Amino acid sequence: MKVFHGRTDGAKSELRGETFSGEVWADPVMPATDGVTINTVLFAPRGRTYWHTHEYGQVLTVTAGKGWICKDGEAPQPIRQGDIVFIGPNERHWHGASDSSYMVHIATSLGKATWQEEVAEKDYPAGV
Ligand code: MN
């Protein structure tokens, strides 16, 4: 057992680049522990992940704002504060803020993430 009190001591918020579009900040909550990583992620309006998968899945807990979750082959679904999203192992997906609101979620990621291409502008919805 390990207890992590609040965010990781001494850690800095990280401005994410490579595999995110727009302005996205991540704050470590629990460093990788037996394959489980927890981050608080803040997406500025229009900020979003690239397409990706998680080896053993991911749980998103939306704590503020509004945004989108999208599974490959399906229409993006709106998400907002209080919503929980379960993403299965190796399900190709993206998540991010709406175009009119920031979105903050806690991301509990299981196993390795595999990053793919960015979400095309035509596939990023307007609204919410
Ligand atoms: Mn994900």
Side-chain angles (χ1 to χ4, degrees):
M1 177 185 289
K2 289 178 187 168
V3 178
F4 298 90
H5 297 282
R7 65 193 294 283
T8 307
D9 276 347
K12 286 186 175 173
S13 297
E14 236 181 66
L15 182 60
R16 292 294 174 90
E18 308 247 310
T19 57
F20 293 81
S21 304
E23 189 176 356
V24 180
W25 289 86
D27 215 32
V29 175
M30 188 180 83
T33 305
D34 288 346
V36 181
T37 305
I38 307 179
N39 285 295
T40 299
V41 187
L42 185 157
F43 300 82
R46 304 191 63 80
R48 55 196 185 261
T49 67
Y50 279 26
W51 288 100
H52 63 285
T53 60
H54 302 278
E55 189 177 11
Y56 301 116
Q58 184 180 49
V59 175
L60 305 178
T61 304
V62 183
T63 56
K66 294 186 293 188
W68 298 104
I69 177 73
C70 183
K71 178 180 173 173
D72 194 17
E74 297 183 359
Q77 294 187 55
I79 51 176
R80 55 183 296 182
Q81 181 175 357
D83 289 348
I84 305 285
V85 181
F86 175 81
I87 296 146
N90 295 312
E91 263 184 2
R92 183 172 136 92
H93 69 286
W94 64 266
H95 30 113
S98 80
D99 60 3
S100 62
S101 171
Y102 65 86
M103 196 253 297
V104 181
H105 66 43
I106 298 169
T108 301
S109 305
L110 311 174
K112 222 178 60 153
T114 300
W115 293 97
Q116 299 157 348
E117 77 278 16
E118 72 181 313
V119 177
E121 207 50 47
K122 68 173 176 51
D123 296 326
Y124 178 76
V128 302

